[in-house]
Amino acid sequence: MSTTDIDEGPDRTGDPEFERARARVEELAPEITAHRRRYYEDAAPTVSDSQFDELMHELIDLETRYPELKKNDSPTEQVGTFSEAFAPVTHLEKMLSLQDVFSLEEVQTWADRITAEVPGERYLCEVKIDGLAVDLVYENGRLTRAATRGDGVTGEDVTANVRTIAAVPQRLAAADGFPVPSLLEVRGEVYFPTADFERLNESQVAAGKAPFANPRNAAAGSLRQKDAAKTAERPLSFIAHGLGVLQGFEPDSQSHSYAALDAWGLPVSPYWRVVPTIDEAFAYIEEFGGKRHKLVHEIDGIVIKIDDFGVQRRLGATSRTPRWAVAFKFPPEEVNTRLLDIKVSIGRTGRATPYAVLDPVRVAGSEVEFATLHNADQVKAKGVLIGDIVVVRKAGDVIPEIVAPVAAARTGDETEFAMPERCPECDSVLAPAAEGDIDLRCPNARSCPGQLRERLAFATGRSCFDVDRMGYIACAALVQPLEPAEPVLTDEGGVFDLKMDELLPIRVVVRDPDSGLPKIDEKTGEQKVVTPFARQPDKKTGEILPRKNAEEMLQNLEAAKSQPLWRVVNALSIRHVGPVSAQALAEHFRDLDRIAEADEEEMAAVDGVGPTIAAAIKDWFAVDWHRDIVERWRAAGVRMQDEAPDPSEALPQTLEGVTIVITGGIDGYTREGAAAAVKARGGKSSSSVSKKTGAVVAGDKPGSKYDKAVQLGVTVVQGEDFDRLLEHGLGEFSSQSEESGDGNEPE
Ligand code: IVH
């Protein structure tokens, strides 16, 4: 940028802050313009919307502080852009954009400014559809032209493409009170229905094409096809949200115009609402923020408009945006970052699972560095390459996942992921456990340190022996120490025989808990090494004493030997056996030896077990070293039988025959504990909701099971009422207390 490009202003040359601002503006302006071109012309943005917004707001902020840095062609002065691939058309009336805000305080400030000028106005709230803006012209009721927004003044002619969208009427219908106007310019959003998006990406990948990063890109890519027949193949839809020129009919408000559009056969959003106060607009924001992923299309915020057209005219607009509307943008849930690597982890049953190592990025309120990729087929299906810029989001707002690569950002240096042939932990050759299995497994089940560490952490964890102070680091130290050369445990059989003098000499490399990479001591430049069970040697005597945690760990191991049988069964890490089937087995057989000796049919007949689990148990006990684990635990004093219950102590069977599904966390209960409590009351705990489900208990952060319950009309009990449900049964929560469920086993 030359200095002649910069508006006159106070001479701040030399002021270091100003110089920094100038340098940043010179960086930002071309960067934003390039992003804009990729977004509008190529339908292939390389940054997420929120990242784009951030750059834009940084530039607006700098230009506000230093107006002399604002060039006439600054991207902050433009609304979109257009390409030459389609014929240019001039909109009858300029298409404005919206002022974005990112907090409720900013919405309040906007409302206060309006209230100061025109008190008591009503607000029309609606969702901000994440699609592609188009402008449709109807002359005497016939669709004559459709254009993209372009720069707001001139757009691209996409009439042939828009004609293929079933939701867009070719002719307007007349209705009572709504005569067809002689000229109508209507604005709205072309969108790609969320439900169809995944299917589209699957077919893109299958055809060897790059998947779309999100439904909006899919909408843009589908609409802006030179061959309209290709657009016709895509399930695009349309929702109108505003007017340009209108002749032959005069609506007096935004809501009146929506009634008119609807009467003429143009789709309007089913979600708009007129509210009398800004507080109610806040409630609308909260309501739709909660269901943003449950609508037919994606939304990226809420638009609040002044309903009255007279007041809209009075408030007017800046060169870019109207003063009578504001867009509250949701915090980003999808961001772009680089996929640095794909690594493979080994689970407790030996399954090799690829996971993504990402350039750390904040998504939905937390830093994300890793994302699971499930299996090699999924890596292929997602079409991601190592080195790609990828779109990351939190699935169900909790677990990070890669949505898709940003193919437009590829440089050619990206590399394809290949599943390793050998276990990254023990170098054994990976193979499917059975013919036709998708998953590869490490066959070195007994002493692969990865598998053993995971099994040990599971067996001593909350759903099994529940050994406090025996965390993941302790388990890793026992199976994979730096010293001694031979690990203290070579399988989980010896866990109850651990002695303090074996623990004290153990030294381990300190690893980053997320990446698993060794931590480096900044002073020495060498790997950090610690003794996890021993304190530093006494400076005078050289005596090595145990850490308090290590002492407590051994005490807790001792106490864990008397845990009930179902926890012992669960701790064996038998494939397909989870806490529910372990409880069913323990209740039926009451003795581990009887389980080991039972024939498959008897086991399969136990409610909550079935043939797959029965076969897995048989297979497990057929392995010598598995039986040795049981014998070593027995010899160490682990309880192998449950007493027959004393009928006088049995809890009232308040949930007899009732199937309960639990979703989300319940205060005071682990997932297994809650299932056990249902069982103790004669109920059945299931993981899937059907019409036969007696009730769904919705705890903290309930999942999709809650939605399904609402959909099917199944009784929903709030997490805090769980104890009341156990004590009194379903009665007070519903009139229908139905029989049996579908028996699905949570794993
Ligand atoms: S009203 C002058 N309402 O968001 C008012 N726009 O970021 C113009 N958009 O250009 C727009 N949903 O393409 C309006 N319910 C909605 C919308 C909406 C999506 C788009 C529209 C606009 C862009 C601004």
Side-chain angles (χ1 to χ4, degrees):
M1 187 204 280
S2 74
T3 41
T4 50
D5 282 328
I6 295 173
D7 291 344
E8 286 290 311
D11 186 11
R12 301 194 222 229
T13 326
D15 169 355
E17 212 166 294
F18 175 76
E19 292 302 336
R20 262 197 303 275
R22 183 211 294 272
R24 186 66 184 137
V25 167
E26 284 177 13
E27 252 171 32
L28 279 172
E31 192 182 340
I32 290 173
T33 303
H35 284 316
R36 199 171 238 161
R37 188 172 320 114
R38 283 194 285 267
Y39 181 103
Y40 287 104
E41 292 182 27
D42 310 336
T46 55
V47 290
S48 69
D49 278 9
S50 58
Q51 285 160 326
F52 179 82
D53 285 345
E54 225 170 85
L55 296 174
M56 191 66 156
H57 282 267
E58 190 185 349
L59 184 58
I60 291 173
D61 182 51
L62 289 171
E63 289 180 347
T64 314
R65 276 195 283 149
Y66 305 106
E68 60 271 44
L69 291 181
K70 184 167 176 170
K71 283 172 57 178
N72 292 339
D73 63 351
S74 166
T76 59
E77 278 302 298
Q78 283 154 33
V79 185
T81 178
F82 61 95
S83 99
E84 285 159 19
F86 295 84
V89 284
T90 306
H91 302 306
L92 305 184
E93 193 176 292
K94 185 173 177 184
M95 285 180 84
L96 294 175
S97 188
L98 285 167
Q99 179 201 342
D100 291 335
V101 296
F102 299 89
S103 69
L104 296 182
E105 290 79 48
E106 288 173 283
V107 177
Q108 183 74 59
T109 309
W110 168 80
D112 289 345
R113 215 177 301 137
I114 287 173
T115 316
E117 218 174 303
V118 271
E121 273 319 307
R122 286 149 54 90
Y123 305 95
L124 184 138
C125 307
E126 56 190 277
V127 293
K128 189 166 187 298
I129 306 147
D130 205 6
L132 178 80
V134 293
D135 181 80
L136 311 179
V137 176
Y138 285 89
E139 293 173 73
N140 296 317
R142 283 176 185 277
L143 176 68
T144 52
R145 198 178 79 184
T148 63
R149 182 175 59 182
D151 64 2
V153 175
T154 311
E156 307 153 319
D157 190 332
V158 284
T159 313
N161 310 65
V162 167
R163 282 194 196 285
T164 69
I165 302 175
V168 175
Q170 305 296 320
R171 297 197 64 161
L172 299 180
D176 241 9
F178 300 106
V180 169
S182 51
L183 180 63
L184 166 70
E185 189 178 29
V186 61
R187 276 83 193 256
E189 222 65 14
V190 167
Y191 67 90
F192 204 100
T194 320
D196 298 303
F197 176 63
E198 245 165 60
R199 229 168 304 140
L200 170 75
N201 265 0
E202 274 164 24
S203 64
Q204 285 282 110
V205 173
K209 295 185 194 151
F212 290 101
N214 52 45
R216 202 217 27 256
N217 286 3
S222 304
L223 186 74
R224 298 171 82 265
Q225 294 279 340
K226 288 296 286 169
D227 178 2
K230 292 225 168 86
T231 305
E233 288 168 15
R234 304 275 169 83
L236 292 176
S237 198
F238 173 80
I239 285 178
H241 53 57
L243 299 174
V245 169
L246 176 56
Q247 287 167 9
F249 184 75
E250 244 186 74
D252 50 28
S253 64
Q254 192 82 29
S255 47
H256 188 204
S257 76
Y258 287 173
L261 293 171
D262 184 42
W264 295 328
L266 277 155
V268 290
S269 172
Y271 308 120
W272 64 267
R273 185 183 302 162
V274 175
V275 298
T277 64
I278 199 68
D279 282 345
E280 281 169 75
F282 289 161
Y284 182 94
I285 290 175
E286 192 176 335
E287 180 186 334
F288 279 87
K291 41 187 180 192
R292 62 182 287 195
H293 299 301
K294 296 184 183 136
L295 311 181
V296 288
H297 48 69
E298 283 298 325
I299 62 175
D300 61 342
I302 300 294
V303 184
I304 306 175
K305 299 171 181 170
I306 294 294
D307 192 33
D308 189 287
F309 272 166
V311 179
Q312 283 193 7
R313 276 192 292 274
R314 189 167 144 194
L315 290 166
T318 69
S319 61
R320 286 185 75 237
T321 60
R323 290 199 181 83
W324 46 263
V326 75
F328 172 85
K329 298 283 285 269
F330 292 134
E333 285 185 331
E334 277 192 1
V335 295
N336 293 10
T337 191
R338 194 166 300 280
L339 174 61
L340 300 175
D341 202 357
I342 298 178
K343 290 191 173 167
V344 170
S345 69
I346 300 294
R348 83 187 149 99
T349 58
R351 193 170 77 180
T353 309
Y355 65 96
V357 182
L358 303 165
D359 200 357
V361 67
R362 262 192 105 66
V363 193
S366 69
E367 184 104 335
V368 169
E369 208 176 336
F370 304 100
T372 178
L373 286 160
H374 302 289
N375 55 48
D377 281 7
Q378 199 184 87
V379 180
K380 247 208 184 100
K382 285 197 187 282
V384 287
L385 303 177
I386 297 168
D388 263 340
I389 296 283
V390 289
V391 181
V392 178
R393 76 161 168 232
K394 292 252 189 90
D397 288 346
V398 186
I399 304 157
E401 69 170 15
I402 290 184
V403 183
V406 180
R410 282 184 178 152
T411 59
D413 291 338
E414 297 77 14
T415 52
E416 209 164 307
F417 166 73
M419 195 68 180
E421 285 174 9
R422 290 176 175 276
C423 170
E425 303 262 4
C426 71
D427 211 35
S428 303
V429 174
L430 299 172
E435 213 177 301
D437 274 6
I438 299 174
D439 296 324
L440 292 182
R441 288 176 193 270
C442 165
N444 179 16
R446 182 175 191 179
S447 48
C448 165
Q451 289 189 59
L452 178 52
R453 179 184 63 235
E454 299 300 321
R455 275 201 320 266
L456 194 60
F458 175 76
T460 55
R462 287 180 72 182
S463 62
C464 302
F465 285 108
D466 198 11
V467 183
D468 212 13
R469 305 282 177 226
M470 186 152 180
Y472 196 75
I473 292 175
C475 294
L478 293 167
V479 306
Q480 215 173 8
L482 182 66
E483 282 171 33
E486 282 303 310
V488 174
L489 293 180
T490 47
D491 67 36
E492 56 269 57
V495 66
F496 291 102
D497 302 321
L498 289 171
K499 301 279 177 299
M500 188 58 84
D501 55 0
E502 292 174 295
L503 303 183
L504 292 180
I506 294 179
R507 279 158 47 86
V508 288
V509 171
V510 183
R511 290 174 187 275
D512 180 284
D514 294 322
S515 69
L517 295 174
K519 283 194 176 171
I520 304 296
D521 189 319
E522 278 176 18
K523 280 191 206 135
T524 61
E526 294 188 359
Q527 285 185 355
K528 273 192 185 169
V529 174
V530 289
T531 53
F533 304 107
R535 290 193 230 162
Q536 293 283 344
D538 185 283
K539 285 207 181 101
K540 281 187 209 146
T541 63
E543 195 184 1
I544 295 173
L545 292 171
R547 289 177 192 257
K548 194 155 180 285
N549 278 358
E551 286 176 325
E552 287 177 3
M553 181 183 99
L554 290 187
Q555 286 159 11
N556 295 337
L557 270 167
E558 192 55 39
K561 290 178 187 171
S562 46
Q563 288 281 25
L565 180 60
W566 74 265
R567 288 178 172 272
V568 182
V569 174
N570 202 28
L572 296 173
S573 279
I574 302 172
R575 266 184 91 183
H576 309 297
V577 174
V580 174
S581 46
Q583 283 173 35
L585 288 160
E587 195 175 296
H588 183 87
F589 292 102
R590 305 201 174 285
D591 185 330
L592 191 59
D593 289 340
R594 286 202 52 220
I595 297 174
E597 286 155 13
D599 63 39
E600 244 176 90
E601 271 153 45
E602 185 184 358
M603 272 193 284
V606 175
D607 195 15
V609 178
T612 309
I613 293 175
I617 295 169
K618 268 281 153 238
D619 288 350
W620 193 90
F621 279 103
V623 176
D624 290 350
W625 67 270
H626 286 167
R627 289 196 308 274
D628 287 347
I629 292 173
V630 174
E631 288 321 313
R632 289 196 67 184
W633 286 1
R634 190 198 310 274
V638 173
R639 163 174 161 180
M640 296 283 163
Q641 287 115 12
D642 276 352
E643 302 286 312
D646 178 346
S648 65
E649 284 176 13
L651 291 165
Q653 299 295 286
T654 47
L655 294 174
E656 190 151 15
V658 179
T659 301
I660 302 289
V661 174
I662 296 166
T663 174
I666 299 177
D667 257 2
Y669 291 88
T670 58
R671 207 173 116 168
E672 298 75 31
V678 167
K679 207 145 188 229
R681 296 293 187 158
K684 188 166 166 185
S685 167
S686 169
S687 61
S688 61
V689 183
S690 74
K691 280 196 176 146
K692 290 183 180 169
T693 306
V696 167
V697 182
D700 189 30
K701 301 210 177 88
S704 57
K705 288 170 201 162
Y706 171 79
D707 302 324
K708 182 126 190 241
V710 175
Q711 236 174 45
L712 296 179
V714 170
T715 302
V716 175
V717 175
Q718 297 306 318
E720 63 257 39
D721 294 331
F722 183 54
D723 285 335
R724 281 221 329 269
L725 173 72
L726 293 173
E727 216 163 298
H728 305 294
L730 257 184
E732 65 174 290
F733 299 100
S734 111
S735 49
Q736 99 251 3
S737 119
E738 301 215 31
E739 289 277 293
S740 91
D742 41 24
N744 272 349
E745 174 82 349
E747 281 293 296

